[in-house]
Amino acid sequence: MTIKIATISFLLIVLSLAVSNPSQKLRGNLTKLTAQTENQDKKNTMQRILDDSAKLEKLASDFQFIEGPIWHPDGFLLFSDIPANIIYKFGSNQQVEVFRSPSGKANGNTLDQENRLLTAEHENRRVSRTEKDGKVITLADRYEGKRLNSPNDLVVKSDGSIYFTDPSYGVSKEQEELGFYGVYRLTPDGKLTLLVKDLVLPNGIAFSPDEQKLYVNNSEAGYIAVFDVKPDGTVTNQQLFAELKDASQGGVPDGLKVDVEGNVYSTGPGGVWIFSPDGKLLGKISVPETATNLAWGESDRKTLYITGSTSLYRIRLKIAGVRAGK
């Protein structure tokens, strides 16, 4: 593996958390972020993304362990509570409702080009699609006749191919059949191709805006890997994009998204880490619990929704995220 060491310049964003009572999945209080910068150049760079006055809003809490947020263009957010075996819906009425139960212990979610829900299911060890009539069908659950480990997160390319990660977080060692943890490409005609098998535990996954780069979080190793995407959809030239290590904070590189300017957002120790397209750390959004995943929301895709381990948050940014679905 070719390693490219990214120069990381730290910009701290300190979170002052307003104390609130447990909300039983109800809307919480606002919390204010204050940007602190090492020099004016870095401050200007980060302020193109996030105002000093931006507020992190706690929307709902009292979940078991939530993941996989995805914004639907009909105006609502879906997200998974893995141990609870539920996919929840957070709508314009600011209330949380059950969208599907059981969910197959769903983890990551995204949309295909028809805005159908695609889900990585731990318990069923598959990638599924929810049809317009609500029927859930299996898209992939085996590779070369052996069961997948525990599909974790997924992203759709403009040609309709689904790229997904398959670590072991949802299965025991005795249940594993493959003997490795892969990154796969599933074409619209159902062909499943193994792209990568040498990451420790691949997790979050995202494309650059031009789809020339594929980013994959290697959670236990503490870094984001980046690959060149070849014209045939396979990947090559694996490199180290950025490390996310801070022993003083909880969390690992997990959920991963990219904005329209190519900045990379990853959950990690202490919250959400934001990197420039060349791997320089621009700043962090501190989250008062372990951040697990994130998604762009609202019609302009400038609201960043963040799943913490037990709570759902959002914050308003200034750059739109890459669109999921159509």
Side-chain angles (χ1 to χ4, degrees):
M1 168 175 158
T2 303
I3 302 296
K4 178 177 73 175
I5 303 299
T7 302
I8 299 180
S9 301
F10 280 93
L11 168 67
L12 298 179
I13 295 181
V14 179
L15 176 67
S16 175
L17 177 63
V19 177
S20 60
N21 294 325
S23 63
Q24 294 295 321
K25 300 184 180 64
L26 298 178
R27 183 169 178 163
N29 290 339
L30 298 180
T31 58
K32 185 176 181 180
L33 294 169
T34 303
Q36 295 183 349
T37 59
E38 296 176 17
N39 59 55
Q40 190 62 37
D41 288 342
K42 291 179 182 177
K43 184 173 182 178
N44 289 342
T45 300
M46 191 59 190
Q47 285 188 334
R48 291 189 64 250
I49 297 172
L50 177 72
D51 279 331
D52 288 357
S53 60
K55 294 177 174 62
L56 183 71
E57 185 179 2
K58 185 177 182 179
L59 301 171
S61 62
D62 196 34
F63 300 102
Q64 294 184 40
F65 187 87
I66 58 174
E67 256 277 8
I70 184 67
W71 180 263
H72 194 281
D74 286 347
F76 56 85
L77 185 82
L78 298 173
F79 61 96
S80 305
D81 190 332
I82 301 172
N85 207 12
I86 296 171
I87 295 176
Y88 284 109
K89 175 181 177 180
F90 179 80
S92 57
N93 62 359
Q94 307 293 294
Q95 298 297 313
V96 175
E97 306 169 7
V98 173
F99 177 79
R100 184 162 79 231
S101 179
S103 68
K105 294 196 173 176
N107 189 331
N109 297 286
T110 193
L111 301 176
D112 71 4
Q113 294 175 314
E114 297 181 36
N115 288 333
R116 294 173 296 187
L117 180 66
L118 304 176
T119 302
E121 300 182 17
H122 279 191
E123 187 172 63
N124 296 326
R125 300 169 70 171
R126 68 175 181 173
V127 173
S128 69
R129 183 175 70 213
T130 303
E131 302 295 334
K132 297 294 186 180
D133 62 3
K135 182 180 179 181
V136 182
I137 66 170
T138 298
L139 297 182
D141 62 356
R142 295 180 184 272
Y143 175 71
E144 295 185 342
K146 297 181 179 180
R147 295 194 72 186
L148 297 173
N149 299 307
S150 182
N152 186 283
D153 209 352
L154 61 178
V155 65
V156 177
K157 197 169 181 284
S158 59
D159 66 359
S161 296
I162 303 166
Y163 290 65
F164 68 93
T165 57
D166 184 42
S168 61
Y169 290 118
V171 295
S172 66
K173 194 69 178 178
E174 294 70 30
Q175 292 175 301
E176 293 179 23
E177 298 181 15
L178 289 169
F180 60 84
Y181 310 124
V183 180
Y184 295 88
R185 175 178 184 252
L186 179 66
T187 60
D189 63 3
K191 180 182 178 182
L192 184 64
T193 303
L194 175 66
L195 303 177
V196 182
K197 62 182 294 186
D198 62 351
L199 296 178
V200 180
L201 285 173
N203 200 324
I205 186 168
F207 282 106
S208 61
D210 61 7
E211 298 184 335
Q212 298 299 303
K213 302 287 184 182
L214 180 70
Y215 301 97
V216 180
N217 268 333
N218 197 5
S219 292
E220 300 307 310
Y223 67 85
I224 302 171
V226 62
F227 303 83
D228 293 329
V229 181
K230 297 165 67 174
D232 66 358
T234 61
V235 299
T236 187
N237 191 29
Q238 181 180 165
Q239 295 185 336
L240 174 68
F241 176 73
E243 290 187 297
L244 293 82
K245 295 181 179 180
D246 183 349
S248 68
Q249 302 277 353
V252 297
D254 195 340
L256 188 63
K257 296 293 185 292
V258 177
D259 70 23
V260 295
E261 295 188 6
N263 300 305
V264 177
Y265 300 63
S266 175
T267 58
V272 177
W273 297 44
I274 305 173
F275 297 92
S276 67
D278 60 358
K280 291 186 174 69
L281 181 65
L282 300 177
K284 300 177 185 177
I285 300 172
S286 295
V287 179
E289 58 184 304
T290 300
T292 61
N293 214 322
L294 63 169
W296 308 106
E298 311 302 333
S299 59
D300 62 2
R301 306 188 312 281
K302 290 184 180 180
T303 297
L304 187 66
Y305 285 85
I306 304 167
T307 49
S309 51
T310 65
S311 304
L312 177 66
Y313 302 86
R314 71 182 171 197
I315 187 169
R316 187 72 177 161
L317 303 185
K318 298 161 72 175
I319 300 177
V322 171
R323 182 187 302 276
K326 67 176 180 180

